[in-house]
């Protein structure tokens, strides 16, 4: 939405996401909404990450600029490793350590902006930038946290005071809803493996600071907290978070990305989808940070084979296979003979796949997903039912919520270690794509799509956010 903005109402906003593409893309969508309203946005990241972002529409370019800060070298990180997509999961902690080295360059950038008479009205940053508010405060610039995760997940983690009053010392403590959630809730970890991934957030890692300590410090210093969500998805959650963290909590809407038509040569995966019947393909993607192993990939592949449906699989290489130079699927990744046995009804690609375009294609009928919040939101835009295979952090909570809404089926797993097998994958895929149950799931998904693609309602969330940014600017 283009909007004329008088000079007094124009905001200067610096946005600074965590070095993960799901986060960067969410920040970019927010930045585009602000720029479309006439505000000036400086998007800060590292050179390689900025080069890999999708292009900004030309009419927004004058108001949305990109600022590159070189990422410091850290022992254990390869050259060019500037995002979580560039490293195996066990080295993500080192990316946080490298990111902490951006404190001095960011301080220099702010000092130069102030000296040039362009003091930002806000810095909008991510969950792990606990050192940004003190730097910004030194220049009189207020901070807002932009949380790109499922909002209920932050309520489940809770503020510092709640964790002091109701400590969770054992993994089992995360298997029940926390005491500070005042209404009946299923917000809890069902399996031990899920609880362990949450408990790890409270422990210091290779960066020297736990993720929860980072979040608590920055939320204490931020004037606002912004969420990529809305009341239609999480009713009552923003009032609860406002009460828990004692700060304004603002939903920005779901920030659905646009589906851009491919001009000229269409990517191979879209041309393959062109040849498939409507609603016949399950699109498979597990994000960039799922802790994949060869065993997990083999069971998933054999499950897709057993299900007997068409599939398009955007396959990320697991840890230990990051140095493979070519884009071909290797025998290490998939069971022997899998591609031959599924040829004609399945396509596997380890390179880049245009996920939004693939989900929006008429041939796609369902999404087999890890339930990362960004991917789940992208499915909302297309009204697809979900086959859900969550792994860590907020993903299991998202899966439970989507199952409760009747738009997805979770793959059966061991309640202890979270393992699954090919039969569980095949059963879940068939329930969504083949069985009568799938029609109800698809209908519910389309109903949610109709609500969330109400452009007027979604734009109102951004307008409300802008009003908060205007009201509280200058306060730090």
């Amino acid at each position: 939405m283009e909007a004329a903005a008088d000079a007094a109402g124009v905001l200067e906003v610096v946005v600074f996401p965590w070095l993960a593409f799901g986060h960067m893309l969410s920040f970019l969508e927010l930045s585009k909404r602000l720029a479309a309203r006439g505000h000036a946005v400086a998007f800060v990241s590292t050179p390689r990450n900025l080069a890999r972002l999708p292009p900004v529409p030309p009419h927004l370019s004058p108001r949305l600029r990109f600022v590159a800060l070189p990422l410091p070298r850290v022992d254990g990180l390869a050259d060019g490793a500037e995002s979580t997509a560039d490293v195996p999961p066990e080295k993500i902690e080192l990316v946080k350590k490298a990111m902490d080295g951006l404190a001095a360059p960011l301080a220099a950038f702010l000092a130069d902006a102030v000296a040039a008479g362009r003091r930002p009205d806000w810095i909008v940053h991510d969950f792990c930038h606990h050192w940004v508010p003190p730097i910004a405060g030194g220049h009189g610039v207020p901070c807002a946290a932009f949380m790109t995760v499922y909002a209920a997940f932050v309520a489940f983690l809770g503020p510092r005071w709640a964790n002091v009053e109701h400590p969770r010392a054992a993994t089992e403590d995360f298997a029940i809803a926390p005491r500070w959630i005042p209404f009946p809730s299923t917000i809890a970890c069902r399996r031990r493996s899920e609880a362990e991934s949450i408990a790890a957030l409270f422990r210091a890692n290779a960066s020297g600071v736990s993720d929860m300590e980072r979040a608590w410090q920055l939320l204490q210093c931020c004037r606002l907290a912004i969420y990529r969500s809305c009341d239609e998805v999480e009713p009552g959650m923003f009032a609860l978070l406002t009460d828990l963290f004692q700060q304004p909590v603002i939903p920005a809407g779901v920030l659905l990305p646009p589906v851009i038509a491919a001009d000229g040569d269409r990517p191979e995966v879209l041309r393959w989808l062109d040849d498939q019947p409507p609603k016949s393909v399950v699109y498979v993607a597990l994000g960039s940070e799922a802790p994949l192993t060869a065993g997990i990939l083999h069971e998933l592949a054999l499950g897709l084979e057993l299900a007997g449906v068409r599939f398009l699989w955007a396959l990320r290489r697991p840890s230990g296979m990051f140095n493979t130079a070519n884009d071909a699927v290797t025998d290490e990744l998939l069971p022997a003979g899998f591609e031959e046995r599924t040829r004609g009804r399945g396509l596997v690609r380890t390179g880049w796949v245009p996920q939004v375009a693939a989900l929006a294609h008429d041939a796609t009928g369902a999404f087999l997903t890890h339930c990362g919040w960004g991917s789940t939101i992208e499915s909302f835009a297309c009204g697809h039912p979900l086959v859900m295979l969550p792994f860590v952090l907020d993903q299991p909570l998202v899966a439970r919520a989507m199952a409760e809404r009747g738009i997805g089926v979770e793959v059966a797993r061991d309640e202890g270690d979270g393992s699954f097998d090919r039969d569980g994958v095949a059963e879940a895929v068939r329930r969504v794509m083949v069985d009568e149950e799938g029609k109800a799931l698809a209908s519910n998904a389309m109903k949610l799509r109709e609500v969330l693609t109400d452009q007027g309602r979604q734009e109102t969330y951004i307008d409300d956010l802008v009003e908060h940014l205007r009201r509280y600017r200058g306060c730090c």
Side-chain angles (χ1 to χ4, degrees):
M1 174 188 296
E2 280 292 341
D6 62 65
V10 170
L11 297 168
E12 294 268 352
V13 182
V14 175
V15 301
F16 188 14
W18 160 231
L19 305 178
F21 275 94
H23 292 243
M24 288 184 274
L25 293 173
S26 295
F27 272 72
L28 185 60
E29 290 301 322
L30 178 62
S31 298
K32 290 191 291 187
R33 269 42 168 215
L34 295 175
R37 285 161 171 75
H39 305 295
V41 181
F43 189 108
V44 177
S45 191
T46 64
R48 187 162 184 249
N49 287 331
L50 294 180
R52 291 183 285 182
L53 290 175
V56 171
H59 70 284
L60 299 181
S61 296
R63 295 185 294 277
L64 176 50
R65 64 192 177 102
F66 296 92
V67 178
L69 301 181
L71 192 69
R73 291 289 303 275
V74 167
D75 288 343
L77 282 185
D79 289 343
E82 297 186 7
S83 80
T84 58
D86 301 323
V87 299
E90 63 269 18
K91 290 197 173 184
I92 288 176
E93 298 172 0
L94 294 178
V95 179
K96 291 190 178 79
K97 184 176 181 179
M99 182 203 66
D100 290 343
L102 294 175
L106 180 74
F109 162 72
L110 282 180
D112 290 344
V114 170
R118 294 193 63 177
R119 183 194 310 274
D121 293 296
W122 287 93
I123 296 183
V124 179
H125 56 79
D126 219 320
F127 79 98
C128 52
H129 298 67
H130 64 299
W131 40 266
V132 169
I135 294 172
H139 294 286
V141 179
C143 288
F146 181 33
M147 310 298 275
T148 64
V149 296
Y150 185 49
F153 176 59
V154 179
F156 177 71
L157 295 175
R160 190 192 300 273
W161 68 262
N163 281 271
V164 171
E165 289 186 14
H166 308 289
R168 294 176 287 186
T171 302
E172 292 74 18
D173 295 334
F174 295 95
I176 58 174
R179 296 184 183 181
W180 52 83
I181 294 182
F183 44 77
S185 173
T186 58
I187 301 173
C189 297
R190 179 184 297 170
R191 305 178 182 96
R192 183 175 183 83
S193 58
E194 299 169 2
E196 287 172 348
S197 78
I198 302 296
L201 298 178
F202 292 79
R203 298 191 292 266
N205 53 49
S207 72
V209 186
S210 74
D211 285 347
M212 283 310 305
E213 184 60 32
R214 288 175 183 272
W216 284 336
Q217 284 188 29
L218 71 87
L219 287 170
Q220 281 181 301
C221 299
C222 283
R223 190 67 188 85
L224 302 172
I226 306 164
Y227 283 82
R228 187 185 184 184
S229 190
C230 62
D231 293 318
E232 291 82 359
V233 177
E234 301 187 76
M237 193 52 61
F238 305 103
L240 173 61
L241 287 167
T242 296
D243 183 58
L244 287 175
F245 287 91
Q246 293 297 293
Q247 65 185 176
V249 173
I250 316 300
V254 293
L255 302 173
L256 294 175
V259 179
I260 301 173
D263 296 325
D265 292 335
R266 284 166 61 77
E268 178 197 10
V269 293
L270 299 185
R271 287 186 275 115
W272 183 84
L273 286 170
D274 291 341
D275 295 331
Q276 310 308 315
K279 300 295 182 184
S280 66
V281 175
V282 57
Y283 174 69
V284 183
L286 300 179
S288 61
E289 296 182 29
L292 302 179
T293 64
I296 286 173
L297 294 180
H298 280 219
E299 289 302 311
L300 178 54
L302 294 171
L304 291 170
E305 183 178 349
L306 281 173
V309 304
R310 292 176 173 84
F311 62 87
L312 168 60
W313 187 357
L315 171 58
R316 181 181 64 81
R317 301 179 189 281
S319 174
M321 298 182 185
F322 279 77
N323 295 324
T324 304
N326 61 46
D327 185 43
V329 179
T330 68
D331 290 340
E332 294 178 276
L333 290 172
L334 298 174
F338 171 77
E339 286 189 279
E340 289 73 17
R341 294 192 301 272
T342 59
R343 194 176 306 281
R345 68 174 178 89
L347 181 68
V348 183
R349 284 296 173 264
T350 57
W352 176 78
V353 171
Q355 177 160 297
V356 174
L359 286 170
H361 198 285
D362 289 342
T364 302
F367 185 14
L368 196 162
T369 173
H370 64 308
C371 290
W373 189 229
S375 290
T376 303
I377 285 173
E378 289 173 359
S379 77
F380 291 160
C382 303
H384 291 316
L386 306 175
V387 180
M388 302 181 294
L389 190 61
F391 288 91
V392 295
L393 303 177
D394 63 333
Q395 298 164 14
L397 302 186
V398 172
R400 309 288 128 73
M402 296 305 105
E404 286 182 6
R405 293 190 77 120
I407 65 173
V409 170
E410 190 170 349
V411 174
R413 302 174 88 146
D414 183 273
E415 294 300 303
D417 62 12
S419 61
F420 66 92
D421 61 24
R422 64 200 70 175
D423 294 322
V425 172
E427 179 188 10
V429 170
R430 289 195 193 105
R431 286 175 64 185
V432 173
M433 292 289 290
V434 179
D435 296 350
E436 193 68 22
E437 179 183 4
K439 294 180 180 178
L441 295 169
S443 175
N444 292 336
M446 286 302 296
K447 290 175 183 176
L448 183 59
R449 175 187 181 275
E450 291 170 7
V451 172
L452 296 182
T453 54
D454 179 343
Q455 193 65 18
R457 176 60 175 157
Q458 290 298 313
E459 293 293 345
T460 297
Y461 282 114
I462 300 296
D463 292 337
D464 290 345
L465 169 60
V466 169
E467 285 307 307
H468 278 85
L469 294 176
R470 285 184 174 135
R471 187 184 313 159
Y472 294 107
R473 66 175 167 178
C475 304
C476 62

